Amino acid sequence: MLFDILTLFPSMFEGVFSDSIIRRAVDKGLATIELHNIRDYSDDLRHKTVDDYPYGGDAGMLLKPEPLAKALNDAKVRHKAHSPCVIYLSPQGELLNQDVVNSLLECQSLILLCGRYKGVDQRIIDRYVDREVSIGDFVLSGGELPAMVLIDALVRLIPGVLGNRDSAETDSLYNGLLSHPEYTRPEVFEGMQVPPVLLSGHHANIRLWQKEQAERITKEKRPDLWARYTSSKVSDK
Ligand code: 9WO
């Protein structure tokens, strides 16, 4: 999977990408991540200006359309073999959830546009952006952290990135439920026992217990997810 990131702050990504599962995916050749500084596409050679005042006289600054268009066209050329999906990270976007992550996994190449200040000129969104994605109903100082969140969520689903031991099929939310509780050694910690069924070695009972717990926790903590779970096709549960 190919990711092209357009940002004014490429160095923000270094720590996150040089660590963790994302690094492993890149090292294995399963993901390619390229960072491009929007400032390099400024048409103002002296000051490298990329922002300007919004029409209408509001406070704050906007990213000018011309450097963004150049950066996006350049990225599209790099992706010409595939048909890339251009994503703008913004609080106005569709809310990210596991279904959206799964659907984006179908795109072989993604161009992620990270805004700053008050965002980008609307004409960039109208002409160049395929999907606007939000990671939650809050405002950050830019789209960089949401882009990292999205890449992390995607990369771990690329076949071969996770080992079998922690395959994505057992993820919380993969099947629409929250996770069941997990325990490791010791059997007794500060007087609290590991549930005996987990020590029984009876795999069918263990699976049943885990499913009951996942359902109980989802019902308690996320009635919205529970409603969706119970109204979706029951035959494969
Ligand atoms: C900045 C600003 C300054 C003065 C007055 C109003 C203002 N609004 C904003 C603003 O919303 N800036 C955004 C910063 C523009 C797009 C990039 N930024 C961003 C993305 N913040 N939060 C996100 C984001 C993206 C995805 N999911 C959650 C949050």
Side-chain angles (χ1 to χ4, degrees):
M1 202 165 181
L2 176 55
F3 300 92
D4 238 85
I5 303 165
L6 310 182
T7 171
L8 282 173
F9 297 94
S11 62
M12 278 183 74
F13 294 81
E14 283 165 14
V16 171
F17 290 172
S18 66
D19 218 28
S20 76
I21 275 167
I22 299 177
R23 166 73 169 274
R24 183 152 36 126
V26 170
D27 288 348
K28 284 187 180 175
L30 297 170
T32 304
I33 305 178
E34 288 190 23
L35 286 158
H36 299 276
N37 194 329
I38 295 165
R39 204 169 290 285
D40 295 340
Y41 294 90
S42 169
D43 39 21
D44 162 19
L45 294 178
R46 266 172 67 84
H47 301 101
K48 300 273 177 203
T49 308
V50 290
D51 58 335
D52 206 341
Y53 296 94
Y55 281 115
D58 290 340
M61 299 298 274
L62 282 180
L63 285 170
K64 291 163 63 66
E66 303 96 320
L68 293 173
K70 273 201 213 168
L72 285 160
N73 284 321
D74 216 37
K76 285 187 175 180
V77 170
R78 284 193 297 276
H79 290 242
K80 61 183 174 303
H82 322 274
S83 46
C85 183
V86 177
I87 297 179
Y88 178 52
L89 289 313
S90 100
Q92 281 77 37
E94 62 178 315
L95 266 181
L96 188 64
N97 59 28
Q98 196 64 48
D99 289 340
V100 174
V101 173
N102 293 341
S103 81
L104 289 172
L105 197 64
E106 304 300 318
C107 313
Q108 270 313 293
S109 93
L110 292 182
I111 297 170
L112 303 179
L113 177 59
C114 305
R116 278 272 153 180
Y117 318 121
K118 289 183 84 174
V120 304
D121 187 298
Q122 182 62 35
R123 291 166 293 185
I124 288 296
I125 297 171
D126 295 344
R127 177 66 50 88
Y128 289 90
V129 171
D130 299 309
R131 280 175 93 162
E132 215 174 329
V133 172
S134 166
I135 64 161
D137 291 333
F138 42 78
V139 179
L140 301 167
S141 45
E144 284 79 9
L145 289 166
M148 293 180 223
V149 167
L150 179 57
I151 291 176
D152 191 281
L154 281 165
V155 157
R156 57 195 301 289
L157 297 183
I158 298 172
V161 170
L162 293 185
N164 275 339
R165 286 174 60 86
D166 38 23
S167 89
E169 279 82 53
T170 62
D171 275 354
S172 164
L173 290 178
Y174 189 90
N175 55 10
L177 292 174
L178 300 177
S179 296
H180 55 76
E182 302 269 17
Y183 299 86
T184 184
R185 289 185 290 184
E187 271 184 47
V188 182
F189 170 70
E190 297 190 351
M192 295 175 283
Q193 295 272 353
V194 171
V197 62
L198 296 178
L199 311 174
S200 69
H202 192 305
H203 293 292
N205 283 352
I206 291 171
R207 295 287 163 265
L208 184 63
W209 179 86
Q210 290 175 332
K211 190 174 169 229
E212 285 167 359
Q213 294 294 314
E215 292 180 349
R216 175 184 64 79
I217 287 166
T218 306
K219 229 181 279 187
E220 275 173 25
K221 296 188 178 175
R222 292 292 302 276
D224 57 321
L225 291 180
W226 178 248
R228 233 165 58 116
Y229 176 79
T230 51
S231 67
S232 70
K233 201 159 62 63
V234 186
S235 58
D236 57 2
K237 303 233 158 87

